[in-house]
């Protein structure tokens, strides 16, 4: 069975400090991978997606970057955090096919920037 | 462009009553519609999905029917429970794009 794991579960970081969030998918070969951001009680905003190793597409500009160094790994990072980066970061996977790109989410990483 | 509209931001109900959460969409392609549920401090989980016109889809007591004629995919349950309190998202997709999510509806069930 496929599993998706995100790390860390939660972080409190200072404005201007760097950030790295990670996501690992096990049990699926060559999945599509996504990063979403959610303000408290808010909607799910897609940030990045990747269909293969080394290729990442940006959907919105939020002074964040993403990389896919391995088929099963997706990294979200920034060198300088802003207060507006606070929120819930969700990694998700899907498979190309005829299922409408059904998304399956990881457990999320909660970030508080102070 | 494509869009998903959830008209209710907050729905408050007493346990045992029926509920309907509205979802309408706009798209130029053949759609897949989803409902995701997100409990407090948890990740969203898939509740229902459909791409078949006029066919009822059910899961965990919730049901929805995709109506392409009215571009709707409303979520219903005949008797809500306290454990149904959560944030519910409607989402629209096709085979090529990631789902686009609506603003979400918070369902609050009171004893």
């Amino acid at each position: 069975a496929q599993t998706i794991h995100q790390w860390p579960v939660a972080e409190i970081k200072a404005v201007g400090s760097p950030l790295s969030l990670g996501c690992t998918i096990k049990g699926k070969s060559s999945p599509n991978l996504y990063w979403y951001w959610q303000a408290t009680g808010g909607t799910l905003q897609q940030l990045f997606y990747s269909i293969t190793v080394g290729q990442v597409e940006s959907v919105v500009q939020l002074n964040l970057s993403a990389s896919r160094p391995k088929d099963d790994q997706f990294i979200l990072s920034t060198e300088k955090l802003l207060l507006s980066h606070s929120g819930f970061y969700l990694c998700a996977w899907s498979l190309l096919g005829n299922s409408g790109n059904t998304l399956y989410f990881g457990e999320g990483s909660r970030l508080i920037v102070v | 462009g494509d869009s998903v509209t959830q008209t209710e931001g907050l729905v408050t109900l007493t346990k045992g009553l029926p509920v309907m959460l509205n979802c309408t969409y706009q798209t130029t392609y053949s759609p897949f519609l989803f409902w995701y549920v997100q409990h407090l401090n948890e990740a969203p989980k898939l509740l229902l999905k459909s791409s078949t016109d006029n066919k009822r889809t059910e899961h965990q007591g919730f049901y929805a029917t995709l109506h392409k004629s009215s571009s709707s995919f409303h979520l219903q349950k005949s008797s809500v429970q306290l454990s149904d309190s959560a944030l519910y998202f409607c989402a629209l997709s096709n085979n090529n794009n990631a789902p686009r999510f609506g603003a979400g509806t918070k369902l609050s069930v009171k004893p």
Side-chain angles (χ1 to χ4, degrees), chain A residues 38 43 97-98 100-103 106, chain B residues 32 36 38 43 49 93 95 97 102:
Chain A
Q38 184 184 32
T43 191
N98 58 1
N101 261 336
T102 304
L103 290 180
Chain B
F32 282 83
Y36 282 83
Q38 185 179 26
K49 67 176 181 180
S93 179
N95 280 326
N97 300 315

Side-chain angles (χ1 to χ4, degrees), chain A residues 34 36 38 41-44 46 88 90 96-108 110, chain B residues 32 34 36 38 41-46 49 87 89 93-99 101-104:
Chain A
Y34 308 84
Y36 281 81
Q38 184 184 32
T43 191
L44 300 162
Q46 186 185 353
F88 197 34
L90 292 151
L96 281 177
N98 58 1
S99 65
N101 261 336
T102 304
L103 290 180
Y104 300 94
F105 289 92
E107 64 268 30
R110 192 166 301 280
Chain B
F32 282 83
F34 306 85
Y36 282 83
Q38 185 179 26
N41 295 322
E42 294 183 7
K45 295 177 184 174
L46 179 67
K49 67 176 181 180
L87 193 52
F89 290 102
S93 179
N94 64 10
N95 280 326
N96 298 315
N97 300 315
F101 289 84

Side-chain angles (χ1 to χ4, degrees), chain A residues 71-103:
Chain A
D71 185 53
D72 63 354
Q73 196 173 76
F74 205 21
I75 307 296
L76 182 71
S77 60
T78 183
E79 293 185 359
K80 287 187 176 181
L81 280 165
L82 307 173
L83 286 174
S84 58
H85 286 139
S86 294
F88 197 34
Y89 289 85
L90 292 151
C91 182
W93 67 270
S94 72
L95 289 179
L96 281 177
N98 58 1
S99 65
N101 261 336
T102 304
L103 290 180

